[in-house]
């Protein structure tokens, strides 16, 4: 394929502060970060659509810093240029970029290889580099990123399939890994959307027994096909009762916590010292339902959070995906139809992740 | 020493009138039916625990069954053992904590985590399957299944071991489970009975300890307990310099105020750090609101803990004996239980009351 010498950076951006126009995206030129010796330039072929994109565009996560803003952080593409100090990548490599684009490299978290917990982390869009350049995301022709945040896509895994692993995949893979998912473990997944479907696929690939929790029966058959050993309908008010003390890890993708669903219901399904990890990040005004100390006492369980994943985890995940032939359930749309995709996410329509094919410049 | 048959009696409440929650009278106790795995303990001392207050006042949401004798920080000497008991013999110095029964068959019990058995029986105000009400240690004696009886090592005084069976174990277990040791940084919030033990044990386990207290008057004591740093929580920005520095926070907060968001504590945790609530507030006092963002930026956890297993109790007692861990206890005669329990309720203990059993002399 003709790999361009120079990328013309442009993308589909939010241009209006009118909340009613949150999904109207227009093509704008993008100013990428200033190219440095550790940077990698990627010609984007695919970008997944993430709940984060909606939370950001709608203002649900807080007022936007500066417009125009290009979102998208489930990026896959081909390397077109590498800085002098870059050894890991060469032009033509298939790579991905996720939700993080910078870290300090010096703090305790960075030194431990947990750069996704760096207090000075920079997000892939709607954030700023120290030199003032605003970060712009992947609904675009290209992105420039420090090599620490670029992940090689193994042979056997297509860019189309790898794209949404860059955020959705690693966001569930990381807590599965950190919390000991593996053979002999029982993993519950709450909410079978983009994140949830990946949690089933990866937990099975890691050898665990998987319980999928979904509202109603509409996704039950798909959940089984994804590999879930058990499917539980959470519309049954007593759904959690037969499962007291059964689960080691619960991956929650709940994106809106309703006060009439006390966390205690979920927590009671955990075995001793089990972990409930909230991967879903609701709007800023939506806290967890009230928790009493008793709710975590009777089984000594934990409620935890998680933030994306480190490069180490991303690479392990991609390797596992290639080896086990993990196929995400994606619906592809041209990038010019981003509006349909983001609205589809907001209305819970994705089955189970939208991936946008970049259509401003042909790199194929 | 001669070990006569125990005449089981204790200081109990006889009315559920909340105004009389601390009015004790001597009442006879009907112990559990003696079985082949049981051990009778002549009680010498019993510590006074926040649980005693929460139970007697009804704060934990259920009315006490009366007459009720509380107390679950028990030490004394074995007087009798069942035919199947091999670990103990009469005369042994032993302790009993907050749990007195478990099913023995569930996944938790089989893993040696009987303190998480869904069918656990608490040392007081709980019913045995045969209908006998469990009665606690403000009394002359207790009968317990050997799984819930812990030998006190030589070198550890009974008076000091008493409060370790609940307060000590309640903080030792989460310290152990969450990896306390050399190179780890532990924060302790609230320096009362539980909190002071968290400092003593975390130091004995080799960690660096930050003590967080609301009381300036405790600062000198806290230094003497061994805390490396003492932080006053009166300063509204106390947590700012400590962002991302602590591996384990042991919280002994007994009442959560909505104007103290959990986020300020959670932000002090290092990546994947753990905030463990050991304190169990009244039933109407939930944690302050938590947003997933509060957990996300450091991937931290809020956890709970429930007493400790026998395995953990034995390890703790041995550590205490080996390292000469000396709790800060104030001794009162058991007949002054009212004064002690009211002292706990009003935060007066420095740092744990221990009642000396005075109904029958076993010396």
């Amino acid at each position: 394929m003709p790999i361009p010498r120079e990328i013309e950076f442009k993308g589909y951006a939010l241009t209006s502060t009118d909340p009613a126009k949150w999904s109207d995206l227009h093509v704008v030129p993008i100013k990428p970060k200033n190219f440095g010796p550790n940077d990698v330039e990627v010609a984007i072929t695919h970008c997944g659509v993430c709940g984060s994109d909606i939370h950001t565009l709608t203002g649900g996560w807080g007022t936007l810093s500066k417009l125009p803003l290009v979102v998208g952080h489930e990026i896959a593409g081909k390397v077109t240029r590498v800085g002098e100090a870059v050894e890991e990548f060469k032009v033509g490599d298939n790579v991905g970029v996720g939700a993080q684009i910078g870290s300090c490299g010096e703090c305790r978290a960075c030194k431990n290889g947990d750069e996704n917990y760096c207090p000075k982390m920079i997000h892939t869009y709607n954030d700023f580099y120290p030199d003032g350049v605003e970060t712009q995301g992947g609904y675009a022709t290209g992105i420039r990123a420090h090599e620490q945040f670029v992940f090689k896509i193994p042979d056997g895994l297509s860019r189309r399939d790898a794209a949404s692993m860059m955020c959705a995949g690693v966001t569930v893979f990381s807590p599965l890994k950190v919390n000991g998912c593996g053979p002999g473990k029982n993993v519950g997944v709450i909410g079978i959307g983009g994140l949830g479907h990946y949690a089933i696929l990866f937990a099975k690939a890691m050898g665990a027994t998987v319980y999928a929790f979904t509202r109603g029966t509409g996704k039950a058959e798909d959940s089984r096909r994804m590999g879930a050993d058990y499917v539980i309908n959470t519309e049954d008010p007593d759904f959690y009762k037969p499962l007291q003390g059964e689960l080691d890890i619960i991956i929650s993708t709940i994106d809106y916590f309703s006060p009439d669903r006390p966390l205690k219901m979920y927590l009671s399904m955990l075995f001793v010292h089990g972990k409930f990890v909230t991967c879903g990040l609701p709007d800023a005004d939506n806290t967890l339902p009230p928790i009493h100390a008793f709710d975590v006492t009777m089984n000594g369980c934990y409620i935890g959070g998680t933030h994306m994943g480190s490069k180490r985890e991303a690479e392990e995940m991609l390797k596992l995906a290639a080896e086990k032939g993990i196929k995400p359930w994606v619906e592809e749309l041209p990038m010019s139809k981003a509006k349909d995709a983001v609205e589809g996410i907001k209305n819970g329509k994705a089955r189970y992740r939208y991936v946008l094919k970049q259509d401003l410049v042909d790199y194929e | 020493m001669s070990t006569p048959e125990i005449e089981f009696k204790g200081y109990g409440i006889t009315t559920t009138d909340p105004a009389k929650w601390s009015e004790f009278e001597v009442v006879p106790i009907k112990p559990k039916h003696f079985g082949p795995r049981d051990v009778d303990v002549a009680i010498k001392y019993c510590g006074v625990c926040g649980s005693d207050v929460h139970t007697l006042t009804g704060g934990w949401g259920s009315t006490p069954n009366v007459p009720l004798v509380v107390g679950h920080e028990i030490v004394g000497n074995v007087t009798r053992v069942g035919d199947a008991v091999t670990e103990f013999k009469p005369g042994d110095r032993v302790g009993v904590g907050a749990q007195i029964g478990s099913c023995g068959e569930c996944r938790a019990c089989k893993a040696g985590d009987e303190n998480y058995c869904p069918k656990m029986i608490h040392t007081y105000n709980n019913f045995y399957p045969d209908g006998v009400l469990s009665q606690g240690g403000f009394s002359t004696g207790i009968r317990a299944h050997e799984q819930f009886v812990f030998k006190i090592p030589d070198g550890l005084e009974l008076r000091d071991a008493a409060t370790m069976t609940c307060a000590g174990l309640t903080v030792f277990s989460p310290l152990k489970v969450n990896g306390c040791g050399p190179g780890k940084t532990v924060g302790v919030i609230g320096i009362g009975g539980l909190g002071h033990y968290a400092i003593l044990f975390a130091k004995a386990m080799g960690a660096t300890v930050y003590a967080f207290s609301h009381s300036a008057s405790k600062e000198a004591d806290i230094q003497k307990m061994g805390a490396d740093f003492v932080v006053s929580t009166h300063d509204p920005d106390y947590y700012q310099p400590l962002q991302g520095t602590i591996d384990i926070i042991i919280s002994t907060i007994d009442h959560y105020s909505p104007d103290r968001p959990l986020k300020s504590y959670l932000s002090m945790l290092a990546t994947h750090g753990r905030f463990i609530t050991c304190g169990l507030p009244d039933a109407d006092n939930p944690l302050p609101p938590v947003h997933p963002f509060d957990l996300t930026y450091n991937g931290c956890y809020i956890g709970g803990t429930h007493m400790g297993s026998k395995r953990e109790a034995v390890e703790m007692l041995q550590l205490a004996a080996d390292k000469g861990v000396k709790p800060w206890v104030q001794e009162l005669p058991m007949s002054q239980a009212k004064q002690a329990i009211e002292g706990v309720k009003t935060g007066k203990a420095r740092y744990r009351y221990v009642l000396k059993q005075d109904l029958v002399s076993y010396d």
Side-chain angles (χ1 to χ4, degrees):
Chain A
M1 77 132 215
I3 295 168
R5 194 60 197 93
E6 186 98 12
I7 294 178
E8 187 198 346
F9 288 91
K10 54 188 174 180
Y12 294 94
L14 180 71
T15 55
S16 167
T17 52
D18 178 356
K21 297 189 176 158
W22 72 273
S23 57
D24 292 336
L25 307 177
H26 305 281
V27 181
V28 301
I30 287 171
K31 179 179 158 59
K33 82 182 282 200
N34 294 310
F35 196 85
N38 289 95
D39 288 334
V40 176
E41 204 158 276
V42 180
I44 296 175
T45 61
H46 298 82
C47 186
V49 180
C50 182
S52 307
D53 303 341
I54 283 74
H55 285 296
T56 302
L57 292 169
T58 59
W61 275 355
T63 322
L64 296 168
S65 23
K66 214 168 86 161
L67 296 182
L69 176 65
V70 175
V71 297
H73 57 203
E74 297 192 329
I75 297 161
K78 308 189 204 203
V79 175
T80 58
R81 183 181 168 199
V82 298
E84 295 139 12
V86 173
E87 292 172 350
E88 188 189 347
F89 303 104
K90 61 185 193 309
V91 171
D93 281 349
N94 287 326
V95 296
V97 177
Q100 186 175 1
I101 207 91
S103 62
C104 80
E106 293 165 352
C107 67
R108 189 177 159 190
C110 281
K111 292 201 146 88
N112 274 347
D114 291 324
E115 66 275 9
N116 48 319
Y117 292 110
C118 172
K120 295 186 178 164
M121 75 178 80
I122 305 173
H123 291 97
T124 298
Y125 58 74
N126 196 36
D127 211 342
F128 290 92
Y129 281 106
D131 63 5
V133 171
E134 187 178 7
T135 59
Q136 300 283 4
Y139 293 8
T141 54
I143 190 161
R144 209 175 259 172
H146 186 287
E147 59 176 331
Q148 182 69 22
F149 303 97
V150 180
F151 318 129
K152 200 173 286 185
I153 296 173
D155 295 335
L157 191 52
S158 70
R159 272 175 272 113
R160 183 180 174 276
D161 284 344
S164 58
M165 292 185 191
M166 297 302 157
C167 182
V170 76
T171 292
V172 298
F173 180 82
S174 175
L176 284 169
K177 178 85 188 160
V178 165
N179 294 294
C181 179
K185 292 292 163 98
N186 291 345
V187 175
V189 182
I190 307 183
I192 312 304
L195 257 55
H197 106 287
Y198 266 123
I200 298 176
L201 296 174
F202 282 120
K204 288 307 296 173
M206 292 160 96
T209 302
V210 174
Y211 296 67
F213 295 83
T214 178
R215 228 178 356 206
T217 52
K219 293 182 176 180
E221 197 180 316
D222 287 352
S223 299
R224 274 182 227 282
R225 286 214 200 105
M226 290 165 192
D229 298 278
Y230 303 94
V231 182
I232 294 104
N233 182 352
T234 57
E235 273 173 359
D236 171 2
D238 294 331
F239 74 87
Y240 57 97
K241 290 190 178 166
L243 296 166
Q244 303 289 283
E246 279 292 298
L247 305 174
D248 299 294
I249 306 166
I250 292 175
I251 297 292
S252 166
T253 71
I254 296 169
D255 199 50
Y256 170 72
F257 285 97
S258 167
D260 65 333
R261 290 242 148 186
L263 224 54
K264 178 160 111 158
M265 291 173 357
Y266 306 113
L267 300 176
S268 70
M269 295 191 290
L270 289 166
F271 181 56
V272 177
H273 301 322
K275 312 253 172 53
F276 173 99
V277 183
T278 175
C279 298
L281 279 177
D283 282 345
D285 60 356
N286 182 227
T287 56
L288 295 178
I291 301 159
H292 191 283
F294 279 131
D295 302 339
V296 291
T297 289
M298 289 311 171
N299 51 7
C301 71
Y302 301 84
I303 299 163
T306 187
H307 195 225
M308 308 178 301
S310 62
K311 179 161 181 159
R312 179 187 71 240
E313 289 163 339
E315 287 174 343
E316 188 177 331
M317 168 195 70
L318 291 167
K319 184 159 178 284
L320 180 72
E323 280 170 4
K324 302 270 185 172
I326 292 176
K327 283 289 288 172
W329 293 47
V330 299
E331 295 181 77
E332 189 179 311
L333 290 173
M335 208 171 262
S336 50
K337 294 264 191 337
K339 180 178 166 73
D340 292 346
V342 297
E343 287 178 359
I345 295 264
K346 192 167 203 304
N347 301 321
K349 290 207 175 92
R351 294 293 180 273
Y352 284 77
R353 202 64 168 179
Y354 294 112
V355 170
L356 303 175
K357 185 145 202 293
Q358 190 272 106
D359 57 4
L360 288 167
V361 172
D362 185 4
Y363 295 132
E364 297 290 4
Chain B
M1 87 166 210
S2 74
T3 51
E5 181 92 18
I6 296 174
E7 187 200 345
F8 290 90
K9 56 186 173 181
Y11 294 96
I13 56 162
T14 55
T15 167
T16 55
D17 178 356
K20 298 190 176 159
W21 71 277
S22 59
E23 302 295 329
F24 298 110
E25 294 171 30
V26 180
V27 297
I29 286 171
K30 180 180 155 63
K32 75 182 285 200
H33 295 111
F34 196 86
R37 306 286 300 276
D38 288 331
V39 176
D40 274 359
V41 181
I43 296 176
K44 288 260 176 74
Y45 296 94
C46 186
V48 183
C49 183
S51 308
D52 302 336
V53 177
H54 286 297
T55 302
L56 294 171
T57 58
W60 275 349
S62 55
T63 316
N65 294 281
V66 291
L68 179 65
V69 175
V70 296
H72 57 204
E73 296 190 330
I74 298 162
V75 290
N77 296 89
V78 174
T79 59
R80 181 182 169 200
V81 299
D83 304 324
V85 172
T86 51
E87 188 188 349
F88 303 105
K89 59 186 192 306
D92 281 350
R93 300 176 332 129
V94 295
V96 176
Q99 187 176 359
I100 206 91
S102 62
C103 79
E105 295 165 350
C106 67
R107 190 177 160 195
C109 281
K110 290 201 145 88
D113 290 325
E114 67 274 10
N115 48 319
Y116 292 110
C117 173
K119 296 187 179 164
M120 75 177 81
I121 304 173
H122 292 97
T123 297
Y124 56 74
N125 200 37
N126 234 175
F127 288 95
Y128 279 103
D130 63 4
V132 171
L133 182 69
S134 60
Q135 298 282 8
F138 288 9
S139 63
T140 55
I142 189 158
R143 182 172 288 164
H145 185 287
E146 60 175 336
Q147 182 67 23
F148 304 97
V149 180
F150 319 128
K151 200 173 284 187
I152 311 290
D154 296 334
L156 189 53
E157 288 180 32
L158 275 187
R159 187 175 170 274
D160 288 343
T163 56
M164 291 183 191
T165 60
C166 182
L169 188 56
T170 293
V171 297
F172 179 81
S173 175
L175 284 170
K176 178 85 189 162
V177 165
N178 294 292
C180 180
K184 291 294 164 94
T185 301
V186 174
V188 183
I189 306 181
I191 312 303
L194 256 56
H196 105 288
Y197 265 123
I199 298 174
L200 296 175
F201 282 120
K203 288 307 297 172
M205 294 160 95
T208 301
V209 175
Y210 287 73
F212 296 84
S213 177
H214 221 59
S215 314
S217 63
K218 292 184 177 180
E219 195 173 315
D221 289 350
I222 294 172
Q223 308 264 14
K224 287 198 198 117
M225 289 166 193
D228 297 279
F229 302 94
V230 185
V231 179
S232 166
T233 52
H234 278 294
D235 172 3
D237 294 329
Y238 73 87
Y239 58 94
Q240 304 272 20
L242 295 168
Q243 304 288 283
T245 55
I246 303 179
D247 299 298
I248 308 165
I249 291 175
I250 298 291
S251 165
T252 72
I253 295 169
D254 201 50
H255 174 83
Y256 284 97
S257 167
D259 65 331
R260 290 241 152 189
L262 225 53
K263 178 161 111 158
S264 44
Y265 306 117
L266 300 175
S267 69
M268 295 191 289
L269 289 166
T271 305
H272 301 319
R274 314 261 172 101
F275 173 98
I276 308 294
T277 177
C278 297
L280 278 178
D282 280 345
D284 61 355
N285 182 229
L287 298 179
V290 173
H291 192 284
F293 279 133
D294 303 339
L295 305 169
T296 290
Y297 285 106
N298 50 9
C300 71
Y301 302 85
I302 296 167
T305 187
H306 194 226
M307 307 177 302
S309 62
K310 179 160 181 161
R311 180 188 69 243
E312 289 164 340
V314 167
E315 186 176 333
M316 169 194 69
L317 291 167
Q318 193 58 52
L319 179 72
D322 291 344
K323 302 271 183 169
V325 172
K326 279 292 283 174
W328 293 49
V329 299
Q330 297 170 290
E331 187 182 317
L332 288 174
M334 207 173 264
S335 48
Q336 289 181 32
K338 176 180 168 67
Q339 184 184 330
I341 203 144
E342 288 176 359
V344 175
K345 192 171 201 301
T346 51
K348 291 205 174 94
R350 292 292 179 274
Y351 285 75
R352 202 64 169 181
Y353 293 112
V354 168
L355 303 176
K356 187 165 202 272
Q357 191 273 108
D358 58 3
L359 287 166
V360 171
S361 169
Y362 293 130
D363 293 317

